[in-house]
Amino acid sequence: MGDSLTEFRTEPTLPAPRARCGTEPRHGAGAPEGRGPIGTQRDSRPAPPEGHEAVMLLDRARTEVDPVLRAALGSLPGPMRRIARYHFGWEHADGSPAEGGAGKAIRPALVLAAAAALGGSEARAGAVRAAAAVELVHNFTLLHDDVMDRDATRRHRPTAWTVFGDEGAILAGDTLQALALRLLAQDPHPAAPAAAALLADCVVELCAGQYADTALERRGPADVTLDEVLAMAEAKTGALLGSACAIGGLYAGAGDADVAALDAFGREAGLAFQLIDDVIGIWGDPRRTGKPVGADLAARKKSLPVVAAFASGTPASAELAELYARPSEKEDLEHIAQTVERAGGRDWAQGQAADRMARAMQQLARAVPDPEAAGGLLALAEFVTRRSS
């Protein structure tokens, strides 16, 4: 253990999933040394960096979706446009152009990868507006979450509410949700009405999950169960990743069973994502996360590793309960993080994330039995659960 939170290891240690939905591992994903993915001698070219395929998919999704997002935001009234463009990192607070990032584009990339997996490049091209709609809904939730959680930093800059006030951030979030539904309402693609209904249902589930999250925060640590927190995480995080995959399937003309399997794949991957996100929220390096050291612990959040630690029944869990009952002190954060780890919270979260990824792979194999076709979705799922920021 390092001397400070910033020195804690931040890379989750999940077992390497079997790549391509049950086929032999790809290069860089557990293939035997010196051998290719099907047991043949590997050529002398260096393997691409881990996550290279996913990064390419994310970059491509951002390139394709950003023009649609910029056009949608450009249609907003002045004040809402300014706040939204600031949130996306495209403007500074004074309205001057900025080069900030608009996020990793994981959700739109999942829409496009799912469409490609079942319908090829033509289906992928037709799903760009839907992918932009999903990204707008995601950012609507971020704007609202930052206000409710009083988070002061996102994407390495002050959050919108700290710059424009609560009202401005909330209303800008509302407009992003409206823009998402307008994009689908104006989309001539035959899958657009079903996608709009699915996304609307997802927003209802997201709101229910957020309400459950805030309700859990008002309860004592001993009164919160792991099942409750897992259900809340599925609603808050898994639902939108599942919807992204399902919408991609709709735009590829997939049947109900395949759409349901894609939704289940995204939900399980989303839970793995949340588990790793909670690990990073405690032990992540703020230079990479863009958030203050130990922000989740300082806020006494009942994140998944913390609730697992409370439920362990160990001496460390009793110590953690005492620490969580005290007022937040910055100098205590490292000690609290160590106590969560000693109570087994970190190991449980990382093991649970690996289990959820295994379930996700089973669902993906149901929807996309061709391993090559499933490669993009698999690469993205591996990427989001092997990240450190």
Side-chain angles (χ1 to χ4, degrees), residues 234-256:
E234 180 178 350
K236 279 195 64 176
T237 303
L240 189 53
L241 269 69
S243 294
C245 297
I247 287 171
L250 288 173
Y251 271 70
D256 291 345

Side-chain angles (χ1 to χ4, degrees), residues 28-93:
E33 183 67 28
R35 308 297 294 178
I38 56 174
T40 58
Q41 188 67 31
R42 185 183 297 173
D43 63 33
S44 59
R45 292 174 297 178
E50 186 175 359
H52 175 72
E53 181 180 355
V55 171
M56 290 181 62
L57 290 168
L58 293 170
D59 287 346
R60 183 181 176 191
R62 179 57 70 197
T63 298
E64 292 172 326
V65 167
D66 270 6
V68 181
L69 293 174
R70 287 179 180 272
L73 266 58
S75 70
L76 293 175
M80 295 298 97
R81 181 172 65 248
R82 181 179 173 189
I83 299 169
R85 288 179 62 84
Y86 172 85
H87 168 75
F88 272 89
W90 296 334
E91 287 185 0
H92 295 294

Side-chain angles (χ1 to χ4, degrees), residues 168 183 229 261 335 342:
L183 279 179
V229 183
H335 180 50
R342 285 191 289 109

Side-chain angles (χ1 to χ4, degrees), residues 142-159:
L142 296 183
L143 281 161
H144 284 201
D145 283 358
D146 285 343
V147 173
M148 297 179 71
D149 296 340
R150 311 314 286 172
D151 286 337
T153 306
R154 181 173 294 282
R155 297 168 185 162
H156 304 277
R157 68 200 311 227
T159 45

Side-chain angles (χ1 to χ4, degrees), residues 194-237:
L198 193 156
L199 195 57
D201 287 343
C202 177
V203 169
V204 172
E205 188 173 359
L206 289 169
C207 292
Q210 178 65 20
Y211 181 83
D213 189 18
T214 57
L216 289 175
E217 292 302 318
R218 293 192 292 267
R219 290 161 54 184
D223 298 330
V224 176
T225 68
L226 272 174
D227 285 344
E228 287 179 301
V229 183
L230 284 167
M232 176 272 294
E234 180 178 350
K236 279 195 64 176
T237 303

